[in-house]
Amino acid sequence: MFGKKKIDISVLVPVYGTENTLLRCLESVKAQVAKGCVVELVVVDDCSPGKDEDGRSCAEIVKGFKKKCNFPVQYIRHAQNKGAFEARRTAVYASNGARVFMLDSDDYLEAGALPGLLNYAKENNAQIVHSALRVVGSGSEHYMQEMNSKAHNVHLGELRGPQIIEHFLIDMDIIGFMCGKLYDRELILNTMENIPPVSCTMAEDYLQFVWLSYEAALHDCKYLGVEDSAYVYCVGNGITGNRKITDIKNWEKIVSTASVFTSIFSEIESLPEPQMEKVFTKEIMDTIKQNCRSFLAHNIMTFRKMVEPEIKEEAYEMLCDYWGRDFVKEIEAALENSKF
């Protein structure tokens, strides 16, 4: 039906429990199709149990949407829930585009976003093109301020190779979200090879961007930060909504952050020494270790403020199981002494 036309961009959309916003997300991709920008859509249903307001499953929504499209749409369903990272991995391996763009199913694209990013990538021979996010939705005033601050962490201009991980981790003017960026597909494929199977819902972007920065350093890739806003980041629809936690399964998604750092430290230790020393300098490693402490501190503060009393005891034991009781006690003491 779609012939042998070369695909410029594969848009990767993982879905779990976001059927109510999925069609809006897909329609925003459809609106990107323009002369000179050939798009495919890869939707990975991570064994989602959800339905939209009309009672339609993810499969039914995608099937109906696909009938109205004049571009390729792939639908893949996991037989069991694997988490956001593994859904993205499945989508990357199934993609056919020269470049990939990651889009969460509760978010959507700005008009003209993909053709614009593609032009930047081609004109500047950039393997990563990074645009600002526009944050919409509802949350506490503090939370919305925090998200808006993060959304505009874009290093404007060019960076090469090891500069990318330095600006991500040390200068902190590159947000570690995987969304809002257009990537060379080979860079993403190489990145996935460094990450063993991992079950996590929170901080999966941090995990991916650490290894993407590593690959970019090894292959002297170019990063380009631009002022354009390409991506609309919606808060209040999912676990990022900053709501009270009453379900132990939702709490487990939050403390699974520990798995991210276990994976990072384990894989770094297995690297050949020349490669490790080129990228993971002492300053970089010290920063990752401090980030690990900060993520645990955030988990503890979330536990204190957001976990409801009826699951508090079980939630605390789960926190210790994931992070290690001694480490939890250490960071609790640091919080009491105002060291965070």
Side-chain angles (χ1 to χ4, degrees), residues 24-38:
R24 179 187 65 186
C25 171
L26 301 182
E27 291 287 357
S28 79
V29 177
K30 183 181 177 183
Q32 304 298 313
V33 178
K35 187 176 181 181
C37 181
V38 182

Side-chain angles (χ1 to χ4, degrees), residues 53-283:
E53 292 177 350
D54 295 320
R56 296 178 300 176
S57 67
C58 177
E60 291 168 329
I61 294 167
V62 175
K63 182 178 179 181
F65 174 78
K66 189 174 181 178
K67 292 177 180 178
K68 302 181 292 180
C69 292
N70 61 350
F71 60 93
V73 178
Q74 294 190 57
Y75 169 79
I76 302 166
R77 179 174 168 86
H78 284 166
Q80 62 186 39
N81 179 247
K82 297 183 178 182
F85 172 72
E86 293 301 331
R88 284 179 177 171
R89 193 200 301 266
T90 295
V92 169
Y93 289 160
S95 66
N96 298 291
R99 296 172 177 84
V100 299
F101 188 94
M102 297 186 182
L103 175 60
D104 289 344
S105 50
D106 53 351
D107 300 331
Y108 58 96
L109 294 171
E110 298 276 23
L114 296 184
L117 294 180
L118 181 62
N119 286 337
Y120 280 121
K122 289 181 174 180
E123 290 172 3
N124 296 276
N125 191 28
Q127 285 73 49
I128 306 168
V129 180
H130 182 189
S131 69
L133 311 179
R134 180 163 64 91
V135 180
V136 301
S138 60
S140 69
E141 183 178 353
H142 172 75
Y143 183 69
M144 293 301 289
Q145 287 176 348
E146 179 185 357
M147 292 310 303
N148 274 294
S149 176
K150 289 180 178 180
H152 291 89
N153 274 1
V154 180
H155 177 89
L156 298 178
E158 295 183 3
L159 297 170
R160 293 301 296 252
Q163 292 178 321
I164 298 170
I165 198 167
E166 291 168 3
H167 279 263
F168 165 43
L169 291 174
I170 297 172
D171 296 339
M172 294 190 296
D173 60 354
I174 298 178
I175 190 173
F177 289 1
M178 293 297 289
C179 61
K181 303 179 180 79
L182 182 64
Y183 305 97
D184 182 273
R185 182 172 180 269
E186 289 303 313
L187 175 60
I188 293 291
L189 286 172
N190 290 337
T191 297
M192 292 299 183
E193 293 302 314
N194 285 310
I195 307 175
V198 59
S199 177
C200 61
T201 302
M202 303 295 286
E204 75 278 2
D205 286 73
Y206 184 92
L207 171 66
Q208 291 173 79
F209 208 77
V210 164
W211 288 111
L212 183 135
S213 300
Y214 167 76
E215 284 296 326
L218 289 187
H219 298 97
D220 196 35
C221 293
K222 181 190 285 188
Y223 162 102
L224 178 68
V226 299
E227 292 183 350
D228 307 39
S229 171
Y231 192 104
V232 182
Y233 185 88
C234 303
V235 300
N237 293 316
I239 199 166
T240 57
N242 206 30
R243 294 177 293 198
K244 290 290 185 181
I245 300 166
T246 59
D247 186 334
I248 198 68
K249 290 183 178 179
N250 285 339
W251 174 243
E252 186 168 19
K253 292 176 182 178
I254 293 171
V255 296
S256 68
T257 304
S259 304
V260 165
F261 287 96
T262 299
S263 176
I264 289 172
F265 291 129
S266 174
E267 292 306 305
I268 288 175
E269 287 178 2
S270 71
L271 291 175
E273 195 167 303
Q275 293 183 18
M276 185 180 75
E277 291 178 350
K278 180 178 179 179
V279 182
F280 294 108
T281 63
K282 183 180 184 305
E283 188 176 13

